[in-house]
Amino acid sequence: MIVLTEIKDVREHLRAERFAAAKEGRELQVGFVPTMGYLHEGHASLLRSARMDNDLVVLSIFVNPIQFGPNEDFDRYPRDRDKDMALAKREGVDIVFLPSVDEMYPQPTKTKVHVAELTDHLCGAARPGHFDGVTTVVSKLLNIVAPDRAYFGQKDAQQVAVITQMVQDLNMDVEIVPCPIVREEDGLALSSRNVYLSPEQRQAALVISRSLRLAEQMAREKESATAGDIALELVRSIEAEPTAVIDYADIRRFPSLESVPSSMRVKDADGKLLIAAAVKFGATRLIDNVILTMEGDK
């Protein structure tokens, strides 16, 4: 496993790897997993998917300052390089790209990538400017690594939708591969921010996955259930936990993130529906979701 900290070294190394493969008459397939570090089994699942699909796996670890708001947790975002390196080595990563902020942003960036409409709702509404920071850094990383495939966790379904739209709109030559949410045995979605939770908050946070499962069950089993019914039940279920503060609890089409009429019977929906929630426990904000594939009336 090679650890590189400079953009030019990443490009040179990958150029050499591709040249060597071409001399052997084969095309090198590169898989890329961009992260902010403090890796856990959710990240490991992305790396395993990348390892299975590609000849070479690149992992980036970079806590991106421009996707954090002024009152958010950039400075205290958890970091553990030794733990990250051990997990990367265990999962067979070939290259770890570990740039500094100065390497990625040697001067204040005057160019930002903005995906319209998809970023107006859910986390985009709650965190203005967040997705501009995400799409800007992801576009930079994709330009640096030039992978064949890039892997993203479905826990942030909006991020997956936004990045997929960006790649399509800008004709980027990369396949975006969404990967399933990885959960603890009790249902809590894995997140680097889970480390912020006290034992009491950790237990209370189970209300999110539990409420989403109830909403999913209602959508699948209750013929007359409307989108409004399910959203209301989702809110009621989360609010049953007194320490939970809801940021949003919503149902939208996926991946367009278009709103769903509250009066629409969910069974009548075609395509995919996203049931998503963001909930705070103390100062810690957690997100989770389920995605339903609906067939509509035939």
Side-chain angles (χ1 to χ4, degrees), residues 64 66-68 105 113 127 129-141 152 156 159 162-163 166:
N64 177 37
I66 70 170
Q67 71 186 65
F68 288 79
Y105 303 109
V113 179
R127 304 178 67 190
H130 166 70
F131 280 112
D132 287 0
V134 171
T135 46
T136 299
V137 77
V138 170
S139 65
K140 286 168 70 74
L141 290 167
F152 293 85
D156 195 336
Q159 176 175 272
V162 168
I163 290 171
M166 175 189 76

Side-chain angles (χ1 to χ4, degrees), residues 8-53:
K8 65 178 179 61
D9 292 338
V10 174
R11 285 177 165 156
E12 288 174 5
H13 188 84
L14 287 169
R15 191 179 299 118
E17 291 281 355
R18 290 185 174 103
F19 181 74
K23 285 184 68 176
E24 296 174 0
R26 60 188 178 88
E27 184 177 343
L28 188 76
Q29 296 291 300
V30 176
F32 178 45
V33 180
T35 78
M36 293 206 299
Y38 209 73
L39 305 181
H40 51 63
E41 285 304 307
H43 298 108
S45 73
L46 304 181
L47 293 169
R48 285 192 286 271
S49 293
R51 180 79 281 161
M52 190 169 10
D53 298 342

Side-chain angles (χ1 to χ4, degrees), residues 71-87:
N71 299 314
E72 295 184 337
D73 59 348
F74 173 74
D75 289 331
R76 72 184 188 102
Y77 191 86
R79 297 160 170 87
D80 189 333
R81 177 173 174 169
D82 290 343
K83 176 172 168 281
D84 290 348
M85 292 301 103
L87 187 147

Side-chain angles (χ1 to χ4, degrees), residues 81-246:
R81 177 173 174 169
D82 290 343
K83 176 172 168 281
D84 290 348
M85 292 301 103
L87 187 147
K89 191 171 185 178
R90 186 192 80 194
E91 297 301 333
V93 170
D94 298 292
I95 300 172
V96 179
F97 179 38
L98 198 69
S100 66
V101 172
D102 287 342
E103 179 69 11
M104 290 297 289
Y105 303 109
Q107 57 189 14
T109 183
K110 295 180 175 62
T111 302
K112 289 190 177 179
V113 179
H114 174 69
V115 176
E117 298 180 19
L118 277 72
T119 59
D120 294 341
H121 323 289
L122 306 176
C123 288
R127 304 178 67 190
H130 166 70
F131 280 112
D132 287 0
V134 171
T135 46
T136 299
V137 77
V138 170
S139 65
K140 286 168 70 74
L141 290 167
L142 293 176
N143 282 330
I144 293 164
V145 177
D148 297 277
R149 300 170 191 87
Y151 297 77
F152 293 85
Q154 196 73 59
K155 182 173 72 69
D156 195 336
Q158 185 174 18
Q159 176 175 272
V160 170
V162 168
I163 290 171
T164 301
Q165 186 72 47
M166 175 189 76
V167 165
Q168 291 173 350
D169 289 347
L170 299 182
N171 301 109
M172 293 182 173
D173 189 18
V174 59
E175 176 188 355
I176 300 302
V177 182
C179 297
I181 297 172
V182 178
R183 300 181 181 277
E184 300 279 5
E185 288 186 9
D186 57 12
L188 184 68
L190 289 177
S191 169
S192 299
R193 288 185 169 93
N194 289 350
V195 71
Y196 297 154
L197 299 170
S198 70
E200 295 76 18
Q201 289 171 334
R202 168 67 176 72
Q203 188 63 30
L206 296 177
V207 73
I208 309 175
S209 58
R210 186 167 63 244
S211 299
L212 286 167
R213 285 196 304 270
L214 289 172
E216 179 182 15
Q217 183 179 11
M218 185 177 179
R220 293 191 185 282
E221 298 179 3
K222 190 173 179 181
E223 290 288 331
S224 62
T226 66
D229 295 334
I230 294 168
L232 183 60
E233 190 57 37
L234 178 60
V235 169
R236 284 176 177 165
S237 179
I238 296 172
E239 286 182 340
E241 167 51 56
T243 63
V245 178
I246 296 175

Side-chain angles (χ1 to χ4, degrees), residues 252-264:
R252 293 195 166 261
R253 298 188 187 277
F254 188 81
S256 70
L257 303 183
E258 294 171 349
S259 61
V260 177
S262 60
S263 59
M264 185 191 75

